[in-house]
């Protein structure tokens, strides 16, 4: 399954080092090219990225849109979860770009796995959203979403996100 990870940019290195290998080991392909960037994370590259030239910023926007559009599922890291993963990551501006990416996925009816202790907004409770309070539950949900038929021969249907991946 092709998966896009939407998260605060300042969490890039943590996700790339600790979670991307596990995602790939589970048989998924990460479509988030922003995780492969190597620019230093700081006040000029996070938030609205004021240190990035307009043309370069547009190239990043175009690439992120293409990555989301080519994905089968999107994993959203909530702000609270980001703080749990790396308190340093949330000292940078919270631009909310991950919400734009999530909105694109929801419009396309792409499943959104909300990784965090609770939803951040009402869209995280919609029919195409799945709450995943732990990384294990993220991987379990992605495995379930990549299986066209659940046990017992019933077609998989997207249920309300009020349920967690383990319910």
């Amino acid at each position: 399954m092709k998966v896009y990870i939407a998260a605060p940019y300042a969490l890039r290195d943590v996700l790339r080092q600790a979670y991307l290998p596990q995602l790939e080991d589970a048989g998924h392909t990460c479509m988030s090219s922003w995780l492969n960037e190597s620019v230093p994370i700081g006040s000029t590259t996070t938030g609205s990225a004021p240190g990035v030239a307009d043309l370069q910023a547009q190239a990043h926007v175009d690439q992120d849109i293409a990555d989301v559009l080519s994905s089968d599922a999107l994993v959203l890291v909530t702000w609270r979860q980001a703080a749990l993963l790396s308190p340093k990551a949330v000292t940078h501006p919270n631009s909310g770009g991950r919400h734009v990416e999530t909105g694109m996925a929801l419009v396309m009816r792409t499943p959104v796995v909300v990784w965090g202790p609770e939803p951040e907004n009402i869209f995280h409770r919609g029919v195409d959203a799945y709450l995943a309070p732990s990384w294990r539950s993220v991987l379990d949900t992605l495995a379930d979403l990549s299986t066209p038929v659940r046990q017992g021969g019933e077609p998989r249907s997207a249920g309300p996100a009020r349920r967690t991946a383990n319910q």
Side-chain angles (χ1 to χ4, degrees):
M1 175 175 260
K2 295 183 288 185
V3 178
Y4 186 88
I5 299 175
Y9 188 76
L11 202 56
R12 179 195 69 199
D13 297 336
V14 171
L15 291 170
R16 181 176 54 216
Q17 294 164 8
Y19 297 94
L20 185 56
Q22 295 175 46
L23 184 72
E24 292 171 344
D25 287 348
H28 304 293
T29 302
C30 183
M31 303 305 291
S32 305
S33 57
W34 66 271
L35 290 175
N36 299 319
E37 295 173 7
S38 60
V39 298
I41 293 173
S43 61
T44 62
T45 57
T46 57
S48 64
V52 176
D54 288 344
L55 286 176
Q56 185 181 7
Q58 185 61 52
H60 287 291
V61 167
D62 292 342
Q63 184 62 58
D64 288 351
I65 289 171
D67 291 348
V68 171
L69 293 176
S70 66
S71 297
D72 301 313
L74 181 140
V75 173
L76 168 71
V77 181
T78 66
W79 189 249
R80 235 173 115 198
Q81 185 64 36
L84 294 171
L85 296 176
S86 174
K88 181 181 173 188
V90 295
T91 61
H92 296 285
N94 178 10
S95 66
R98 68 191 190 289
H99 296 302
V100 174
E101 296 157 343
T102 301
M104 286 188 294
L106 290 171
V107 165
M108 297 177 351
R109 305 307 274 190
T110 299
V112 173
V113 181
V114 180
W115 179 19
E118 60 192 21
E120 289 181 314
N121 62 57
I122 197 165
F123 291 95
H124 299 170
R125 297 176 53 209
V127 70
D128 292 318
Y130 299 84
L131 296 180
S134 68
W135 179 245
R136 178 75 255 155
S137 62
V138 168
L139 295 176
D140 289 346
T141 302
L142 291 172
D144 185 49
L145 290 169
S146 64
T147 304
V149 177
R150 290 180 185 247
Q151 292 178 348
E154 293 293 319
R156 179 184 57 77
S157 61
R162 290 179 296 282
R163 64 183 171 79
T164 64
N166 296 326
Q167 287 181 317

